[in-house]
Amino acid sequence: MKHNSMDDAGCCLLSVAWNIVPPAGGWPDSRRGAIRRDIESVCRSAGLGARDWAARNGAGEEPEYRPFLQLADVAYEIATLLLLVEDFLVPDLEREHRRWAEIEELTSRMAELAEWTSNFLSLSGSALRL
């Protein structure tokens, strides 16, 4: 499915936020839990902001909505990798370290995209609270 509007981007972000899977056991204050909370919060805020922007400004152009779609994509990838480090048939420490390295790298990318989308919405008059 081709997403080609700010409203589509907002819906994608809200879908990611809605579908964040709670941690399977473990401590709620774990790194996994913190990342999940960040994903949910960032995607919900950016999704609502994108939908609000679309309601006031229309579909938007690709350079405007593309970072919102990228944010949804990165957040979804992080959430998927979190599931992979929690659930395995045979423990493999090397594999888990590789996945955590990728999660941390993607988390940095998510922070960059969240900052960009927040700045974009702030400059265009949409309220976004990250």
Side-chain angles (χ1 to χ4, degrees), residues 2 6 11 15-16 23 25 30-31 34 39 49 55 67 71 76-78 82-83 85 106 108 114 121 129:
K2 175 88 167 127
M6 187 66 84
C11 289
S15 177
V16 172
S30 70
R31 179 71 177 134
I39 291 170
L71 177 57
Y76 177 78
E77 189 171 355
I78 295 168
L82 285 172
L83 291 172
V85 297
L106 289 167
S108 294
L121 292 172
R129 294 174 191 88

Side-chain angles (χ1 to χ4, degrees), residues 51-63:
R51 299 220 50 220
D52 177 63
W53 187 94
R56 290 183 292 105
N57 300 291
E61 298 294 323
E62 185 172 353

Side-chain angles (χ1 to χ4, degrees), residues 7 10 15-16 18 28-29 38-41 45 52 55 63 74 76 78-79 97-98 102 110 113 119 121 127:
D7 192 61
S15 177
V16 172
W18 181 261
D29 293 330
D38 287 347
I39 291 170
E40 193 276 332
S41 176
S45 295
D52 177 63
V74 168
Y76 177 78
I78 295 168
H97 285 301
R98 280 193 322 268
E102 189 171 0
M110 183 179 73
L113 289 165
N119 289 339
L121 292 172

Side-chain angles (χ1 to χ4, degrees), residues 80-99:
T80 300
L81 286 170
L82 285 172
L83 291 172
L84 292 174
V85 297
E86 290 175 347
D87 192 19
F88 43 80
L89 296 173
V90 178
D92 182 335
L93 194 56
E94 182 181 327
R95 181 179 58 213
E96 187 171 341
H97 285 301
R98 280 193 322 268
R99 287 183 178 152

